[in-house]
Structures are given as structure tokens and as C-alpha cells.
């Protein structure tokens, strides 16, 4: 082991900088994972929760509409029974009026004969119309299964409103087609219900017929009601091809012109045969569902970027400052070394100050601490059983031990004005200006630790099987009544106590 050169010290410092950069980048990467992963989990949780909520609203809509359809089916069958049983017209008319009162979801009840003329209705203004050109009338008339409940495609009523109706076929005594009973949905009432189950301003609920025609949507989509949305590339077309009863998509909705979370569900009515099902679409805008998440994420990552922006230049300038400080310190040490060498103040073997220089410095530091009333600490250091070492390993090895111990003692000192000197033989002395007793003890223990860590074999040591040192400490605030010689004596006495107390330790009074 040799004393580090200027280049070695600078290279060692640069290597430590590389380690610091690695640790910084590694820490930032770990922090990114710790920040990003919870955000990823939260985003998935929000989307999953929203899917469940939309599906729940679709089920609520299904249950409500299914209940209404079952009720109107019973009403239609009751009227059909009255008609086919040849009940008088007044009785049937009363039934029509009663049913419209208890079924607010339906606007109109109407009985058409086989020629599509109005026989009875709850709305007098409809008696003048004939419905033979209506697609739903022709479809029901020509159907092979007359026992179905027909949910007919959306159409524009004579009142100029898009609606949809449910109907049953009437038969005469010969089981021939005799007409139809039609109940027309009340769109306003249905829209009120759709609004009541909507929980967000961007939420949209639609009812779609089996043929792909949009019956109604809430809020209203101008130009789409009555249009066929079952086209290639639409989510509804994709849903029908899947043949699933219900499903959820997170994709761009062509009809809505934004990316959405869209739940589709087919109408399910127990114990009822319907010619064609209805479908529900309940959706929200993807970006609005995640709006608060995006805001929080932007804030978190803005703080993360601020940390990066501050930590990288911060570490750079801190290292640059340390590098300049180290260069200045090395230059100062070299200047001091040159001065010491020019004045023969350096011990030639250990390359630290000799006793002559120590005596000058202790006098100067004593006067300085006396003047400023600051602590001055002094350490006397002795290598344990050094004579035995020389006798066992030879003087050349002994000189190497002196060099190594001197280097470790010097490396224990962190300030440029601290001084280590060779006092004589295997003895060293350390001056610690402006250093309290507690701090001096820490420094002394660091010296012991460093020397022990050298693990220099010493089989004739009475302490360990390695080279160790003992230290005596004197620490005080100088006064006019004392001199630095008194301090030297106290440190020497403390060293004697350390030697007699087991060695490899520091002793102080």
C-alpha cells in the first residue's frame, strides 16, 4: 500500500462520481416504477368500475322496459280476447282508456281491422287514418306466427314523432286475419326514465331495434334517430356479429365520433315470445371518465419531471464543486509538502510531518485557540508491540508498517489544517484544532478501525494477531495558566494508561 498520487486521487473521485450517477439514475428509474405502476392500477380500476356501472344501468333499463312490455302484452291479449269474444264496442273502448291510464309508457292503443282502418282507439284524431301502407301492418298481416308479440321497427307517427309500437294479431272465428291491436310507445316517458338513470353529463343511452334502426337516444343525437346504425365498422355491427347477449367495448364509436366505453345489451323478457329483440347501448366518453385521473397523473409526472430537472443539474454542479475543491486541496497539500520538504519538515520514511514541524505547529495552534478560546485536541499514538514486530519480521517490514500506519492516520483526517506528525520511532502525534473531546474520540476510533482493517499479521502481538495502535487523548481550551507542554504530558500519560489497559484503544482523562 502506497500513498495516493494526485492522479489517483482525482481518478478515485471521478469513479465515485460515476457511482453517484448510476445510483441517481437507478433511483429515478425505481421511483418512476413506484409512481407509474399505481397509476396503471388506478386507471384499470377506474375503467373496470365504469364498465360495471354502465352494465348495471343497462340491466336497470332492461328490467324496467321488460316490465312495461310484459304489462302491455297482457293488455293487448286482454283486448284481443275481448275482440275475438265479440264483446261490445263500448266494453272494449273502456278497456282501451283504462289501459292507457295505467300504462304511461304507451301513448296510443289502437285496433285496426283487416283493411287497416281504425276501429277503436283512445285518440279520436286517429279515426280518419288508414294504416295499410305501414310496414309494420303488412309484416304482422303476413307473418306465419300469429301468436307472437310484435315489436315493430321505429317509424314516424302521424303525429310526426319517431316511435315504436308493440302489437298482436286479431283473428276471426275461422282463424283468418282480422286485424291488429297496436300499442305505441310514448317516447317522452321513456326519455324521462333514461334521464333518471343517467349519472354523468357525458353519458348516453340508446334503444336500437333488431334491424339496426336507432329508436331513440338520450341526450338526443340530431340526425341519427330513425337511421340504421348496423353498418360495417360500427360498434353495434361488431356487437351483433359477436352474438353475445351483452358486452362492453372501449373503442372509437363511429356514430358518436369519439372514443367511448360502450355497453350493449339485448332486451330479455322472461316467458314472452317476441318477434325481434331490442338492444340497449349505454356509453360514456373514455377521456371524460378518466378526466380526474389524467389531471392527477399530469400533476404527479410534472413533479417527477421537476425532480429530474433539479436532481441532474444539482448532482452535476455538486460534483463539479467537489472536484474543484479536491483539486484545490491537492494543490494546497502539494504546496505545503513542497514547503515542508524545502525546510526539511517531512519525515523521509513516512512522508508526513516530522517532530520539528509538529513543535512549530503546536505552538501556533495553541496561541490561536488561546486567543479565540476554542478547543484544541492532541493525540499521542503508539504502535503496539512494535519492537516484537521488528524482531520477528525485520526492520524493513517494520518500516513498511510505519508507512502504512502513518497513511491510515493521515487518511482519518478530513480537514486541511489537521496535522499528523511522526514524533519518534513508532510514535505519532496528531493536532486537531477547534475539535472537542467527543469529536476527537470519534477520530481516534476511526484511526484504530483503519489500522485494524489493514490486517497486517503480527504473531507476537499481545493484543491481536495483527498490528494495532494505542492512543492517548488530551482535549482542552488553552488558558494562560497552562502551556502546550502540559497538554503533551497529559496526552502522554493517557497513552501510558491506554497501553496498560489492554492496548488497541484510546484513553482520555
Amino acid at each position: 500500500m502506497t500513498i495516493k498520487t494526485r492522479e489517483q486521487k482525482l481518478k478515485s473521485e471521478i469513479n465515485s462520481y460515476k457511482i453517484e450517477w448510476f445510483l441517481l439514475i437507478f433511483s429515478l428509474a425505481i421511483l418512476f416504477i413506484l409512481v407509474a405502476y399505481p397509476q396503471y392500477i388506478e386507471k384499470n380500476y377506474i375503467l373496470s368500475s365504469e364498465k360495471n356501472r354502465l352494465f348495471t344501468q343497462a340491466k336497470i333499463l332492461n328490467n324496467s322496459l321488460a316490465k312495461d312490455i310484459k304489462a302491455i302484452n297482457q293488455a293487448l291479449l286482454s283486448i284481443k280476447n275481448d275482440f275475438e269474444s265479440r264483446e261490445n264496442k263500448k266494453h272494449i273502448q273502456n278497456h282501451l282508456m283504462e289501459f292507457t291510464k295505467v300504462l304511461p309508457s304507451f301513448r296510443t292503443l289502437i285496433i285496426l281491422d283487416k283493411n287497416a282502418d281504425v276501429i277503436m282507439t283512445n285518440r279520436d284524431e286517429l279515426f280518419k287514418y288508414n294504416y295499410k301502407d305501414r310496414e309494420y301492418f303488412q309484416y304482422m298481416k303476413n307473418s306465419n306466427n300469429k301468436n307472437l308479440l310484435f315489436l315493430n321497427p321505429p317509424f314516424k307517427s302521424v303525429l310526426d314523432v319517431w316511435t315504436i309500437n308493440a302489437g298482436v294479431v286479431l283473428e276471426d272465428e275461422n282463424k283468418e286475419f282480422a286485424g291488429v291491436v297496436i300499442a305505441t310507445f310514448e317516447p317522452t316517458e321513456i326519455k324521462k326514465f333514461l334521464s333518471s338513470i343517467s349519472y354523468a353529463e357525458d353519458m348516453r343511452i340508446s334503444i336500437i331495434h333488431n334491424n339496426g334502426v336507432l329508436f331513440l337516444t338520450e341526450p338526443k343525437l340530431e340526425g341519427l334517430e330513425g337511421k340504421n346504425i348496423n353498418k360495417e365498422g360500427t360498434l353495434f355491427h361488431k356487437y351483433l356479429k359477436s352474438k353475445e347477449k351483452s358486452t362492453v367495448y372501449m373503442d372509437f364509436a363511429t356514430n358518436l365520433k369519439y372514443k367511448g366505453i360502450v355497453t350493449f345489451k339485448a332486451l330479455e323478457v322472461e316467458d314472452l315470445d317476441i318477434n325481434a329483440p331490442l338492444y340497449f347501448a349505454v356509453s360514456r366518453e373514455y377521456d371524460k371518465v378518466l378526466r380526474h385521473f389524467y389531471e392527477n397523473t399530469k400533476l404527479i409526472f410534472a413533479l417527477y419531471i421537476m425532480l429530474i430537472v433539479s436532481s441532474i443539474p444539482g448532482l452535476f454542479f455538486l460534483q463539479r464543486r467537489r472536484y474543484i475543491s479536491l483539486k484545490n486541496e491537492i494543490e494546497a497539500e502539494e504546496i505545503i509538502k513542497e514547503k515542508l520538504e524545502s525546510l526539511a519538515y517531512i519525515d523521509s520514511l513516512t512522508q508526513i510531518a516530522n517532530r520539528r514541524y509538529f513543535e512549530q505547529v503546536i505552538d501556533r495552534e495553541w496561541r490561536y485557540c488561546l486567543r479565540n478560546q476554542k478547543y484544541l485536541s492532541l493525540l499521542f499514538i503508539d504502535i503496539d508491540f512494535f519492537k516484537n514486530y521488528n524482531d520477528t519480521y525485520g526492520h524493513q517490514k517494520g518500516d513498511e508498517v510505519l508507512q502504512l500506519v502513518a497513511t491510515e492516520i493521515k487518511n482519518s483526517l478530513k480537514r486541511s489544517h489537521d496535522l499528523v506528525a511522526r514524533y519518534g520511532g513508532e510514535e505519532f502525534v496528531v493536532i486537531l484544532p477547534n475539535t472537542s473531546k467527543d469529536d476527537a474520540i470519534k477520530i481516534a476510533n476511526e484511526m484504530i478501525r483503519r489500522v485494524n482493517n489493514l490486517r497486517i499479521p503480527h504473531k507476537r502481538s499481545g493484543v491481536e494477531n495483527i498490528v494495532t495502535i494505542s492512543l492517548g487523548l488530551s482535549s482542552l481550551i488553552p488558558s494562560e495558566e497552562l502551556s502546550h507542554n502540559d497538554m503533551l504530558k497529559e496526552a502522554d500519560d493517557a497513552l501510558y494508561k491506554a497501553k496498560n489497559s489492554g492496548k488497541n484503544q484510546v484513553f482520555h482523562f
Side-chain angles (χ1 to χ4, degrees), residues 110-306:
I110 186 169
I111 302 177
L112 304 178
D113 64 15
K114 63 181 179 180
N115 298 316
D117 289 322
V118 179
I119 301 174
M120 296 181 195
T121 180
N122 64 316
R123 303 175 72 91
D124 293 339
E125 66 271 23
L126 300 180
F127 277 104
K128 61 184 179 180
Y129 294 104
N130 180 277
Y131 292 85
K132 66 180 179 181
D133 294 330
R134 288 292 187 182
E135 182 182 344
Y136 62 80
F137 179 80
Q138 295 299 326
Y139 178 78
M140 294 174 69
K141 180 180 178 180
N142 297 320
S143 174
N144 294 323
N145 190 343
K146 300 293 194 293
N147 297 318
L148 295 174
L149 173 68
F150 291 85
L151 290 179
N152 296 306
F155 63 94
K156 219 166 194 180
S157 71
V158 295
L159 301 176
D160 199 34
V161 176
W162 278 101
T163 186
I164 198 169
N165 63 29
V168 295
V169 174
L170 299 175
E171 295 178 318
D172 60 19
E173 62 272 14
N174 298 318
K175 299 298 181 180
E176 297 293 328
F177 178 76
V180 297
V181 185
I182 299 292
T184 304
F185 283 81
E186 172 56 79
T188 305
E189 290 296 322
I190 296 176
K191 286 191 174 187
K192 285 181 182 178
F193 177 72
L194 298 187
S195 296
S196 71
I197 64 174
S198 177
Y199 57 81
E201 60 180 15
D202 61 293
M203 188 171 172
R204 194 172 297 279
I205 308 174
S206 304
I207 301 178
I208 309 160
H209 191 265
N210 180 57
N211 65 357
V213 176
L214 183 65
F215 167 34
L216 60 78
T217 183
E218 180 63 26
K220 186 176 181 180
L221 277 172
E222 293 295 338
L224 274 185
E225 289 186 358
K227 301 292 183 182
N228 192 319
I229 63 171
N230 183 17
K231 297 178 181 178
E232 189 73 33
T234 64
L235 292 181
F236 183 67
H237 181 77
K238 183 179 178 180
Y239 163 61
L240 289 183
K241 286 183 68 176
S242 73
K243 301 187 182 303
E244 297 284 344
K245 288 186 177 181
S246 61
T247 191
V248 181
Y249 295 109
M250 283 194 297
D251 205 344
F252 184 81
T254 307
N255 298 315
L256 302 177
K257 295 181 173 57
Y258 57 72
K259 183 178 180 180
I261 306 173
V262 186
T263 295
F264 289 105
K265 178 170 174 54
L267 172 66
E268 296 180 77
V269 185
E270 292 182 358
D271 304 322
L272 187 60
D273 291 330
I274 300 174
N275 70 315
L278 297 178
Y279 298 97
F280 312 123
V282 186
S283 66
R284 285 196 64 190
E285 290 185 41
Y286 184 89
D287 288 339
K288 289 188 177 179
V289 169
L290 294 173
R291 182 180 58 190
H292 295 301
F293 169 80
Y294 287 148
E295 291 172 355
N296 292 338
T297 301
K298 285 178 183 178
L299 177 60
I300 290 171
F301 281 98
L303 294 173
Y304 179 75
I305 290 171
M306 287 174 60

Side-chain angles (χ1 to χ4, degrees), residues 471-506:
L471 302 91
L473 168 63
S474 175
S475 183
L476 51 80
I477 297 175
S479 65
E480 296 291 349
E481 293 77 25
L482 299 173
S483 70
H484 61 75
N485 290 324
D486 297 316
M487 192 177 199
L488 286 167
K489 185 177 184 310
E490 181 175 301
D492 187 49
D493 292 341
L495 175 60
Y496 179 80
K497 288 284 188 181
K499 287 285 191 180
N500 289 332
S501 300
K503 301 179 177 58
N504 196 25
Q505 61 180 285
V506 60

